[in-house]
Amino acid sequence: MTTEKGFHKQPTIPGEEVQQSTPSTPEHVPKQIGPYKIESLLEKGGMSVLYLSSHPETKEPTAIKVLSQKFLSNKEIVKRFFDEAEIISLADHPNIVKLHDQGEWEGGLYIAMEFIEGVSLRQYLLRHPLSLKQALEFIIDIAYALCHLHTHGVIHRDLKPENILVTESLVIKVIDFGIAQLLLDEKGTGKAKRSHVIGTPIYMSPEQRDHPDNVSYPSDIYSLGIIGYELVLGKLCHGKIHLSIMPQGLQKIFSKMLQPKPEDRYQDIVDVIGDISQYIHSSNFKKESQPLDQLSELATSVKHAETSLLPSIPPEWPSVDIAFVQHKGVIISGIYYDFFPGENNGFAALCFEPIDKGVEGILYTATLRGMVKSLFAQNIQFDQLLDTLNKMLCDDNFEQKFYYTYLYSSTDGNHIHYSSSGQCPLWLMKSGSEQPPVPLTSKNSYLGENRDASFETLEHQWNQSDAILFASYGVVPSDTDIG
């Protein structure tokens, strides 16, 4: 089964000349949109711009989608923008992005949505090997999202890996309802609200391509069939489908999902969920699972465990702004970092990393994390932490040693105290200064190496407008990396 030659290269928005932005395109970032304070630009697309904000009440990260000003005079695109907000507002499902708000501002129109920290399904598929079980679980989660939409009379019409996100905890989130369609109007006549259909050719059903005014729920099921085919095989298909190379127990299911005629396809996504679930619990599934599937599932579980050691969102303190960035690689580092408030607006920030990497390192780091949290729960003095923690590690006969970086502020708020082992993962950037960042170094032994070791702590003057950068030991930044 293949798509027509050249069809996948056609533009997906008929009648609209949409210029995609380039990395060199300057973009003015507004300070505020409606009640939302804008923090940064996330993405600039053909018809809209996406910003990162925080919810004014809950303070949760929020994505603000703004319609580009050049399209404000286009009634069809404006209607499509409002329709997207209406459709998202109908959805209340864990696998579908949530709507917070919509409205007008001085720059035009905006939609405020749940900010989802993750990668697209396309990116995930390119970076991570999927076991057959994980692939089928993703397919079922997407199918449940479609089931919720179809129950509310919504056809997505642009289901593709780019419009599906995977979070760190492997939760599926369906996004981008810019061309979704409410199948029934308010009177339930069955007349489509719009007659023009937009879609992505590779994942588009034949009837959506040939008869855009006559699409229904089986069209989304066809798109899911293409996505599911890619997930099961672990690679993008670029429009070429060969069902014979799929596990035999799935061939009949996907054949029915991908029938050219919609009447020959599954008519209800519930039946798709039922058939795939039945296959997962069958003897065929056990036979057709690849030997490497268990290793893939183990690697996924280990990465998830490593992520769970870290704080999910930065703390909010009145005197200090905190942000962190995590590298999404495949190497298991076992890194642990954390932040603790103190008296008189004081604070402590720390970072630990096992010298030996791998699964064992994560286990030792998890134990270290418990020790640290226990000490801070007992209100340990900031200047006593390293000595106490080192003795605990040595007395517990740990076979693992740790790099560390430790920083805490003085009670007057005008000085910081810092200590680290060996390398230089700590940098001070003075506010308003054109000078390069100042490295803050101290040479101490590793934690857990010598019970009688003493840990030198140095002091440096700072203002709360200054910035301090931690970096893990795997990557020591150069001057050009810091800004």
Side-chain angles (χ1 to χ4, degrees):
M1 183 184 299
T2 60
T3 59
E4 286 185 20
K5 184 178 180 180
F7 175 71
H8 67 281
K9 297 181 181 179
Q10 296 180 17
T12 62
I13 306 181
E16 296 293 343
E17 293 295 330
V18 179
Q19 298 296 326
Q20 297 292 335
S21 63
T22 63
S24 61
T25 303
E27 178 67 31
H28 170 69
V29 178
K31 294 183 178 180
Q32 188 155 338
I33 296 177
Y36 301 93
K37 181 181 178 182
I38 302 303
E39 298 179 4
S40 64
L41 171 68
L42 287 176
E43 181 182 338
K44 184 176 181 182
M47 293 189 294
S48 61
V49 183
L50 199 64
Y51 298 103
L52 175 63
S53 175
S54 58
H55 195 281
E57 297 177 359
T58 65
K59 306 303 180 183
E60 293 180 352
T62 302
I64 309 295
K65 186 175 183 177
V66 173
L67 184 64
S68 296
Q69 290 189 350
K70 63 182 177 180
F71 294 110
L72 291 174
S73 59
N74 187 312
K75 294 182 179 180
E76 174 65 20
I77 293 180
V78 168
K79 183 178 185 300
R80 191 185 304 150
F81 193 78
F82 280 125
D83 285 351
E84 178 176 11
E86 178 186 359
I87 287 171
I88 298 175
S89 69
L90 292 174
D92 183 15
H93 192 275
N95 297 122
I96 299 176
V97 64
K98 289 179 172 56
L99 178 76
H100 291 320
D101 187 17
Q102 69 176 89
E104 299 183 13
W105 67 299
E106 60 186 15
L109 307 173
Y110 73 88
I111 301 174
M113 299 174 289
E114 169 191 14
F115 173 73
I116 302 168
E117 186 175 0
V119 298
S120 73
L121 190 59
R122 170 183 283 269
Q123 292 173 313
Y124 193 90
L125 187 60
L126 292 174
R127 297 176 185 177
H128 302 275
L130 282 180
S131 67
L132 180 58
K133 180 182 178 182
Q134 184 63 73
L136 295 177
E137 287 177 351
F138 279 171
I139 294 168
I140 288 177
D141 285 346
I142 301 167
Y144 273 122
L146 288 181
C147 182
H148 184 80
L149 293 173
H150 292 177
T151 301
H152 288 80
V154 175
I155 312 170
H156 191 283
R157 300 203 300 176
D158 198 17
L159 199 66
K160 58 184 178 180
E162 291 83 354
N163 288 342
I164 301 168
L165 299 184
V166 184
T167 71
E168 280 290 326
S169 54
L170 302 184
V171 175
I172 288 291
K173 292 282 188 175
V174 177
I175 63 169
D176 201 339
F177 294 83
I179 65 168
Q181 174 182 330
L182 280 169
L183 186 62
L184 302 179
D185 61 16
E186 288 78 358
K187 296 180 181 180
T189 61
K191 180 180 179 181
K193 284 189 172 184
R194 289 193 299 269
S195 59
H196 298 293
V197 176
I198 307 167
T200 303
I202 288 176
Y203 302 93
M204 188 188 297
S205 66
E207 69 271 17
Q208 186 175 353
R209 179 186 67 181
D210 299 333
H211 305 288
D213 294 331
N214 186 25
V215 296
S216 188
Y217 308 126
S219 184
D220 280 345
I221 293 175
Y222 183 95
S223 300
L224 179 59
I226 300 291
I227 295 170
Y229 175 85
E230 294 181 332
L231 288 172
V232 170
L233 295 185
K235 60 182 179 180
L236 301 173
C237 69
H238 304 291
K240 297 180 180 180
I241 305 296
H242 303 283
L243 294 178
S244 60
I245 63 176
M246 293 191 75
Q248 188 173 1
L250 288 173
Q251 291 179 18
K252 183 177 179 181
I253 297 174
F254 279 83
S255 176
K256 190 172 182 179
M257 294 176 72
L258 295 172
Q259 285 298 309
K261 295 181 180 179
E263 60 268 24
D264 295 333
R265 236 174 276 150
Y266 284 98
Q267 299 300 298
D268 194 327
I269 192 66
V270 172
D271 295 329
V272 177
I273 296 172
D275 285 352
I276 294 179
S277 298
Q278 185 177 5
Y279 169 75
I280 291 176
H281 293 92
S282 70
S283 58
N284 284 337
F285 171 72
K286 295 180 180 179
K287 293 177 182 178
E288 294 172 347
S289 295
Q290 297 297 319
L292 294 179
D293 279 2
Q294 292 184 352
L295 292 178
S296 175
E297 291 178 12
L298 176 61
T300 300
S301 298
V302 169
K303 288 297 295 181
H304 179 61
E306 182 183 33
T307 303
S308 68
L309 296 176
L310 306 175
S312 57
I313 57 175
E316 292 188 10
W317 294 341
S319 58
V320 181
D321 293 326
I322 299 174
F324 50 75
V325 177
Q326 301 173 11
H327 175 64
K328 310 297 183 183
V330 297
I331 297 176
I332 299 172
S333 66
I335 191 172
Y336 164 57
Y337 53 82
D338 220 331
F339 313 90
F340 296 92
E343 297 180 355
N344 301 319
N345 292 328
F347 66 91
L350 44 84
C351 179
F352 301 99
E353 188 171 347
I355 294 177
D356 298 327
K357 304 299 184 287
V359 176
E360 290 184 357
I362 294 180
L363 298 176
Y364 286 121
T365 300
T367 303
L368 173 76
R369 177 178 180 269
M371 293 178 176
V372 171
K373 287 190 173 292
S374 174
L375 290 173
F376 277 106
Q378 298 173 37
N379 296 316
I380 187 172
Q381 296 296 312
F382 286 169
D383 58 357
Q384 298 176 5
L385 175 70
L386 293 176
D387 287 332
T388 304
L389 185 59
N390 181 64
K391 288 181 173 61
M392 291 176 67
L393 292 173
C394 292
D395 291 344
D396 205 33
N397 294 321
F398 253 45
E399 296 180 3
Q400 181 67 272
K401 297 183 286 292
F402 292 88
Y403 298 111
Y404 78 90
T405 304
Y406 182 48
L407 169 76
Y408 63 91
S409 67
S410 59
T411 55
D412 62 15
N414 295 321
H415 294 82
I416 55 172
H417 304 266
Y418 60 93
S419 180
S420 62
S421 56
Q423 304 180 40
C424 173
L426 193 63
W427 303 74
L428 174 65
M429 292 168 280
K430 301 294 291 183
S431 175
S433 174
E434 296 182 358
Q435 298 298 318
V438 178
L440 303 179
T441 61
S442 66
K443 295 184 178 180
N444 293 284
S445 61
Y446 304 125
L447 280 176
E449 184 176 35
N450 180 4
R451 192 182 190 282
D452 297 326
S454 60
F455 296 90
E456 178 187 34
T457 301
L458 303 179
E459 183 177 317
H460 200 288
Q461 186 174 1
W462 87 305
N463 298 314
Q464 290 192 357
S465 58
D466 296 338
I468 299 175
L469 174 68
F470 278 78
S472 72
Y473 287 87
V475 179
V476 179
S478 64
D479 292 350
T480 58
D481 293 328
I482 307 172

